[in-house]
Amino acid sequence: MAGQFLAEISKKEQLTQDIFRLTLPVPEVAAAARPGQFVMVRSGKNLDPLLNRPFSLHQGMDDGRIQILFKVLGEGTRRLARQEVGDQITLIGPLGRGFSLPEPASRPCLVGGGMGIAPLFFLARELLRRHPAQVPELLLGARTAVEVRQLAAEFRLMGLDPLVATDDGTLGYKGLVTDLWPRLAESAQPRQVFCCGPHPMMAAVARHCAAENWPCQVSLETMMACGVAACLGCAIKGKQTAVSGDYLHVCKHGPVFEAQTIDWS
Amino acid sequence: MTHGEKIDLSVKIGPLRLANPVLTASGTFGYGREFSDYLNLEQLGGVVVKGISLEPRAGNPPPRVVETPCGMLNAIGLENVGVNAFLRDKLPWLRGAGAPVVVNILGNRVEEYAELAARLDGVEGVAALEVNISCPNVKEGGVAFGTDPAMAAAVTRAVRAATKLPIIIKLSPNVTDIQLMARAVEEEGADAVSLINTLLGMAIDLRSRRPKLANVVGGLSGPAIKPVALRMVWQVAAAVKIPVIGIGGIMSATDALEFIVAGAHAIEVGTANFVNPGVTGEIVAGIRHYLGQEKLNSLAEVRGSLRLS
């Protein structure tokens, strides 16, 4: 069940020059939300930019608060970043299909790149809540240290031990997060992988998981006008598209998908 | 009895009586159930569903949507479940949702429109048909039905012969003379016209030097098109006797009332549903509030009341 809510920003954090985190009490959304779901957000009643913006849920807390974490990329996010504590935004959600959570038998492995790290936070908390003894593995990739340092520290506070890769080597390994893959494969322990990040990164992770025969879920994003399965704008190609012609819709069938159902070409 | 209780928002679209003038525009409200978390459909004057074709259509490759100033472009490609699946899977729930159901139909041949109309004729729960003539006529090299008066007339005539349901012809704005198009379909027995459908537009990504839509061109909707829509509704209302349903950038009760002043009997809300899924309920309430404030009992005194000179 989703709904539309007017919420007041209770906390605003600026993690880097263009990465922001907003905390909002929206008990109905926090209560219903599952990791991997998203919300459609609008700040103000202006006609331009017109459309709501989708954000994955960074956190859904027991006390009724939710958090979204975003980077300023265009006018919509620029406007959202200008909001202050006490300002109201409208929120539609929780929306979409979230992550399916595994049986304790296979070790969860979270792989996040850039802003894809955002939904993995909520996921990590939920995994630990269900199986406190099974600490998920965590791989984090970012362009540079400042974009990932704080989040890595917060994951550590949860009890995880992130392996970090930065493009410029200012934190952790220098290179792509997918370069770290061989370290995982070394231990030959089966994993269930949860991945979110730039499209090429997820495609690479999907390939690796297929080779290892590890189940892999990815959280995709695409242009969407409505987020509620009305506009049909968020179509993406699945493996079935070449056969039946039908597309998948990110807001309805996703945003979380089994990696092997996606056409990565 | 307070004044509020005497307010009558009902409107007649040919033989179809609606409780209020607010309908949802095809392609912006799915098949109705998608919005059940956000509003009670009983509040609406009517629901116009996503356009239905004889066979299911998968739609266009992505990207299908892009935001533009005060609006958006769409090239969805008429993705729909097809008439069989609509009747089997979508209509049953919608029938019970409390609002009259208008089925929007589309095709690429006159015969397809006629067959769809015949399939839907007499089906319980279908209150009217809205005919999307902005589709390419494959027999005439892909020219849109709605850009040629003779083709628009042919579709209307074929649908009229195939069904007793009230017929609303949805006009394309991508024409030189909208009055000519409206008269052409009125002559063939349309019970009403709805306008406008989307305006043809495109967007370009400078960095990649590519169109932002995979289909290159798409339909423009949203507040940006309201001035064009208002002008066309005003022109058509002056040109035909049948009721006019106004569509185009309506975001509020004020917008809706402007269309009614221009001559519309009813309006459809489209892109606004994406921004605020509950907006149609708010617009109904806003229209009622306006009538109360103006101490009017019905929309009759507002309709076509534009003052010139």
Side-chain angles (χ1 to χ4, degrees), chain A residues 66-77:
Chain A
I66 63 157
Q67 285 185 325
I68 56 173
L69 177 74
F70 64 96
K71 187 180 231 184
V72 173
L73 290 170
E75 196 46 45
T77 39

Side-chain angles (χ1 to χ4, degrees), chain B:
Chain B
M1 195 181 355
T2 64
H3 181 262
E5 288 169 36
K6 294 195 298 188
I7 293 177
D8 177 14
L9 290 186
S10 69
V11 294
K12 269 201 104 211
I13 309 289
L16 183 65
R17 173 167 284 277
L18 306 175
N20 67 65
V22 180
L23 299 101
T24 58
S26 178
T28 70
F29 209 72
Y31 305 99
R33 195 171 192 173
E34 295 84 341
F35 281 75
S36 56
D37 282 347
Y38 309 106
L39 85 159
N40 188 338
L41 269 56
E42 282 172 7
Q43 295 171 59
L44 299 175
V47 172
V48 184
V49 298
K50 173 76 187 180
I52 300 296
S53 45
L54 279 176
E55 295 302 317
R57 293 191 185 198
N60 287 335
R64 293 179 170 184
V65 291
V66 61
E67 189 179 66
T68 54
C70 294
M72 58 175 282
L73 286 168
N74 91 78
I76 305 297
L78 301 170
E79 175 184 331
N80 76 93
V81 297
V83 67
N84 292 339
F86 168 72
L87 291 172
R88 185 190 65 222
D89 303 331
K90 306 293 184 186
L91 185 58
W93 184 90
L94 194 45
R95 199 156 39 210
V101 178
V102 179
V103 182
N104 179 293
I105 60 172
L106 61 107
N108 292 117
R109 300 187 141 80
V110 174
E111 300 75 40
E112 289 175 11
Y113 286 97
E115 191 176 332
L116 274 164
R119 288 291 305 276
L120 293 161
D121 186 53
V123 170
E124 192 200 330
V126 176
L129 298 182
E130 182 184 65
V131 185
N132 176 3
I133 58 172
S134 300
C135 303
N137 183 352
V138 302
K139 264 200 192 140
E140 302 296 330
V143 174
F145 289 100
T147 60
D148 179 88
M151 290 201 287
V155 171
T156 310
R157 189 165 47 239
V159 171
R160 181 74 285 168
T163 181
K164 294 186 180 49
L165 284 167
I167 297 169
I168 304 161
I169 302 294
K170 186 170 184 179
L171 300 178
S172 164
N174 302 303
V175 297
T176 319
D177 187 343
I178 192 74
Q179 293 178 316
L180 184 63
M181 300 307 302
R183 280 194 297 264
V185 304
E186 179 184 44
E187 266 167 43
E188 296 295 342
D191 294 289
V193 285
S194 57
L195 65 148
I196 54 173
N197 206 325
T198 51
L199 285 159
L200 281 174
M202 73 184 287
I204 293 174
D205 183 327
L206 181 62
R207 209 162 24 157
S208 65
R209 305 280 179 92
R210 287 176 184 279
K212 290 189 179 176
L213 294 170
N215 194 57
V216 183
V217 295
L220 181 68
S221 67
I225 72 169
K226 189 182 121 185
V228 177
L230 262 181
R231 183 263 299 180
M232 289 193 162
V233 162
W234 176 66
Q235 288 183 320
V236 167
V240 296
K241 294 189 177 56
I242 54 177
V244 174
I245 301 174
I247 322 168
I250 294 172
M251 303 284 297
S252 67
T254 299
D255 292 332
L257 287 158
E258 289 171 13
F259 277 81
I260 297 172
V261 165
H265 268 67
I267 55 99
E268 291 180 16
V269 176
T271 304
N273 293 312
F274 300 157
V275 182
N276 174 1
V279 72
T280 43
E282 293 172 18
I283 291 175
V284 175
I287 293 173
R288 182 172 286 117
H289 180 77
Y290 173 82
L291 290 182
Q293 265 189 321
E294 298 297 303
K295 297 204 176 16
L296 298 170
N297 295 322
S298 79
L299 289 162
E301 290 159 84
V302 183
R303 184 180 315 127
S305 63
L306 185 68
R307 291 194 205 130
L308 300 169
S309 88

Side-chain angles (χ1 to χ4, degrees), chain A:
Chain A
M1 270 276 304
Q4 186 176 6
F5 307 96
L6 193 61
E8 201 175 278
I9 298 170
S10 61
K11 184 173 178 191
K12 176 184 178 182
E13 299 162 84
Q14 183 165 6
L15 276 66
T16 71
Q17 183 169 34
D18 51 7
I19 298 178
F20 294 82
R21 180 158 58 195
L22 298 178
T23 306
L24 306 109
V26 200
E28 299 91 334
V29 174
R34 295 184 316 275
Q37 288 190 296
F38 69 103
V39 288
M40 294 296 283
V41 172
R42 187 185 188 200
S43 45
K45 286 199 192 291
N46 302 70
L47 299 182
D48 189 85
L50 181 67
L51 302 172
N52 298 330
R53 286 348 192 212
F55 298 99
S56 58
L57 282 162
H58 176 56
Q59 279 233 79
M61 309 192 225
D62 291 335
D63 63 8
R65 292 177 300 153
I66 63 157
Q67 285 185 325
I68 56 173
L69 177 74
F70 64 96
K71 187 180 231 184
V72 173
L73 290 170
E75 196 46 45
T77 39
R78 204 168 1 250
R79 183 178 294 274
L80 188 60
R82 282 200 288 263
Q83 305 304 302
E84 298 295 344
V85 170
D87 287 340
Q88 290 185 321
I89 66 173
T90 51
L91 219 96
I92 300 164
L95 299 169
R97 200 168 289 187
F99 292 107
S100 319
L101 301 191
E103 296 305 306
S106 63
R107 187 170 186 199
C109 175
L110 279 48
V111 184
M115 295 315 298
I117 297 172
L120 299 181
F121 211 73
F122 191 6
L123 176 61
R125 269 210 203 285
E126 182 59 21
L127 287 169
L128 282 170
R129 200 179 62 78
R130 290 173 178 228
H131 308 293
Q134 182 156 81
V135 178
E137 242 168 347
L138 178 63
L139 274 63
L140 297 177
R143 260 198 284 257
T144 186
V146 72
E147 292 194 350
V148 68
R149 176 178 289 128
Q150 182 169 343
L151 291 168
E154 292 179 10
F155 274 112
R156 264 184 222 106
L157 286 174
M158 266 194 240
L160 281 79
D161 181 23
L163 264 177
V164 178
T166 44
D167 292 356
D168 59 5
T170 47
L171 185 67
Y173 169 80
K174 179 173 197 282
L176 300 174
V177 68
T178 42
D179 295 344
L180 299 172
W181 200 264
R183 297 197 201 179
L184 293 183
E186 266 166 23
S187 80
Q189 188 188 18
R191 266 85 160 188
Q192 173 139 24
V193 175
F194 303 84
C195 179
C196 186
H199 202 82
M201 182 202 105
M202 290 192 288
V205 170
R207 246 191 337 268
H208 289 311
C209 288
E212 301 289 342
N213 208 22
W214 293 346
C216 177
Q217 293 174 54
V218 290
S219 176
L220 302 183
E221 68 172 8
T222 190
M223 280 292 185
M224 55 174 68
C226 74
V228 298
C231 73
L232 302 180
C234 60
I236 55 162
K237 278 197 196 156
K239 291 237 164 59
Q240 89 234 31
T241 306
V243 177
S244 69
D246 294 322
Y247 293 91
L248 295 168
H249 286 285
V250 172
C251 78
K252 182 166 78 169
H253 307 120
V256 177
F257 293 91
E258 298 284 336
Q260 310 318 326
T261 63
I262 301 299
D263 179 343
W264 295 101
S265 60

